[in-house]
Amino acid sequence: MSHYITMYVLVFIRNDTGILKSIYMAQRLSAEAAKKKAARDLAYAKTPDRRAKKADAQRRRRADPNGAKGKDWDHKNQRWESPAQNRSNDGLGTKTESGKKYKTK
């Protein structure tokens, strides 16, 4: 019987803005795939729901610049959260949150 040991090595690099990023997380897309993804992302960002959420977050950020520093507005919990916590749906992943409508001003 063979036994295998799996080891993962995480390698991080610092990008232009000084943020550490894993070199294995990047989506190494071809030029054609990157253009298609950019078009999909832009179309999603321009949906009425996304525009309303962005405008709401901008209003809240302008109203409370000190509370918003380094944080993202969570439309589900109606509070400022770290970007990692907000984007991962509090560690639950984003699939359970898909299609939900949250209050915006």
Side-chain angles (χ1 to χ4, degrees):
M1 179 183 232
S2 299
H3 293 283
Y4 294 95
I5 297 174
T6 305
M7 294 179 65
Y8 295 98
V9 178
L10 296 177
V11 179
F12 292 92
I13 58 171
R14 198 171 292 278
N15 68 7
D16 303 351
T17 59
I19 297 172
L20 288 175
K21 289 194 170 197
S22 170
I23 62 170
Y24 298 108
M25 299 295 282
Q27 290 182 309
R28 298 180 183 153
L29 301 175
S30 67
E32 181 183 354
K35 285 179 186 176
K36 287 181 180 179
K37 183 180 185 321
R40 282 193 310 271
D41 290 350
L42 184 61
Y44 178 70
K46 288 185 175 183
T47 60
D49 185 51
R50 293 302 308 149
R51 284 181 181 243
K53 286 179 182 174
K54 182 176 179 181
D56 182 42
Q58 285 177 343
R59 277 192 300 271
R60 291 175 187 274
R61 184 170 297 280
R62 289 182 188 126
D64 183 19
N66 291 329
K69 201 167 284 192
K71 305 280 185 173
D72 286 345
W73 182 255
D74 185 355
H75 287 92
K76 180 178 69 171
N77 298 329
Q78 297 291 301
R79 65 179 182 183
W80 294 109
E81 290 187 349
S82 71
Q85 187 177 10
N86 190 26
R87 292 174 190 163
S88 70
N89 191 23
D90 301 317
L92 301 175
T94 55
K95 288 186 180 183
T96 58
E97 198 175 23
S98 179
K100 299 262 174 80
K101 300 293 182 193
Y102 297 113
K103 180 182 169 188
T104 58
K105 285 186 177 179

